[in-house]
Amino acid sequence: MNCVWCDQQILLQLNWQQFFKANNSPALCTECRLRLDILSGDRCEICSRPTEKRICHDCQAWRNINWQRMNTNLIEDPLDFNISVFSYNEFMKDLMATWKYRGDYVLVKAFEQAFIKAFLEHFSDIGKDAELVPIPLSQERLLERGFNQSLLLAQLLPLPIREILSRQHGEKQAKKSRIERIQADNPFIIEETINKTVILVDDIYTTGSTLRHAASLLKQNGCPNVYAFTLIRG
């Protein structure tokens, strides 16, 4: 069995269309799969942060204060809940750096089985009428990176995708401090209203600012419920 991480020759020889048509066997070798940390056990019911508390301190703070800074008239947390699949350990950091910033988009195959399994476990009761909205990149960032990792993740899932958000260009999230992320203005623009339940799809939940900005805009424009499904809980 080839491993998309170990066997770099495979990545050089196959383009991504060919790779996705390959067999359905696990994309990582056993050793690499064991290095991925799938979240389990007690978690915050809002953000998936490992904790023994029902709602973690960060989400309590969001409910009390932070979303009011988003120029919204919502009186509650705009994000119903987030489910993340993996923790952000050192191996995942290496994988993400290679996937997102070096253009090795074929590495999405490494997450596919666990990502789909977690989605079916946690969102099967949401309903078939829900739609996926991937978190967009700005046009400048999309040209720089060559693909939107959130859209790639959404394309693994069995629900229709609506690309109804666009994003203003700004400094990379990874370069911002926690406080800067929380206090940032909403970077999103909504292209059309939506009156269905939405599941936002993104690669990583860090402070929740990005997802809550998107959720607040969706709810102000007719969306009754907004959930999030993210690959990683940072």
Side-chain angles (χ1 to χ4, degrees):
M1 180 188 70
N2 294 316
C3 171
V4 297
W5 181 250
C6 298
D7 194 347
Q8 294 298 315
Q9 294 306 308
I10 295 296
L11 297 182
L12 293 174
Q13 292 171 9
L14 296 182
N15 61 40
W16 71 270
Q17 291 94 340
Q18 292 171 322
F19 193 95
F20 275 77
K21 291 178 181 178
N23 59 55
N24 292 322
S25 61
L28 292 178
C29 65
T30 300
E31 181 179 351
C32 286
R33 287 203 307 274
L34 291 174
R35 295 171 68 187
L36 289 172
D37 181 19
I38 295 179
L39 290 169
S40 61
D42 293 335
R43 291 196 255 175
C44 172
E45 65 181 33
I46 301 299
C47 74
S48 275
R49 180 180 184 175
T51 178
E52 294 181 356
K53 296 181 179 180
R54 188 174 65 87
I55 299 177
C56 73
H57 178 271
D58 285 355
C59 288
Q60 289 176 355
W62 274 110
R63 286 187 165 188
N64 294 333
I65 301 172
N66 291 324
W67 77 85
Q68 296 175 13
R69 299 174 180 174
M70 294 182 173
N71 297 320
T72 173
N73 58 1
L74 296 174
I75 60 174
E76 59 183 13
D77 191 331
L79 186 65
D80 289 74
F81 65 73
N82 165 70
I83 295 293
S84 299
V85 183
F86 298 101
S87 68
Y88 204 29
N89 63 10
E90 291 303 315
F91 182 56
M92 179 59 81
K93 290 178 183 178
D94 290 341
L95 274 174
M96 292 300 288
T98 302
W99 184 39
K100 289 172 61 174
Y101 304 121
R102 299 174 200 164
D104 289 341
Y105 42 73
V106 73
L107 282 174
V108 72
K109 189 72 177 178
F111 315 122
E112 182 176 17
Q113 289 189 354
F115 194 66
I116 295 173
K117 180 181 178 182
F119 182 82
L120 295 176
E121 287 177 354
H122 294 281
F123 290 97
S124 59
D125 293 336
I126 297 301
K128 294 182 179 180
D129 290 335
E131 295 186 331
L132 305 173
V133 174
I135 293 295
L137 297 174
S138 67
Q139 286 300 312
E140 293 85 349
R141 193 77 69 227
L142 185 60
L143 288 172
E144 173 187 307
R145 190 170 297 169
F147 68 99
N148 178 1
Q149 71 281 354
S150 300
L151 177 58
L152 277 185
L153 289 169
Q155 289 171 341
L156 298 176
L157 303 174
L159 284 178
I161 297 171
R162 291 277 297 277
E163 296 185 76
I164 61 173
L165 297 177
S166 59
R167 186 173 193 155
Q168 302 175 60
H169 189 59
E171 186 179 27
K172 292 181 179 179
Q173 288 291 96
K175 293 185 177 181
K176 293 180 180 179
S177 69
R178 185 179 185 83
I179 295 299
E180 287 173 332
R181 293 186 189 198
I182 290 173
Q183 295 181 343
D185 292 332
N186 196 327
F188 298 112
I189 299 169
I190 192 165
E191 307 293 344
E192 57 184 279
T193 59
I194 181 170
N195 60 3
K196 293 185 176 182
T197 292
V198 160
I199 303 171
L200 294 167
V201 181
D202 203 4
D203 58 339
I204 185 167
Y205 183 115
T206 305
T207 65
S209 299
T210 297
L211 293 166
R212 284 182 169 92
H213 280 307
S216 66
L217 193 57
L218 287 164
K219 283 195 170 180
Q220 289 178 83
N221 285 273
C223 184
N225 298 99
V226 182
Y227 306 93
F229 186 50
T230 51
L231 184 68
I232 302 162
R233 180 61 172 87

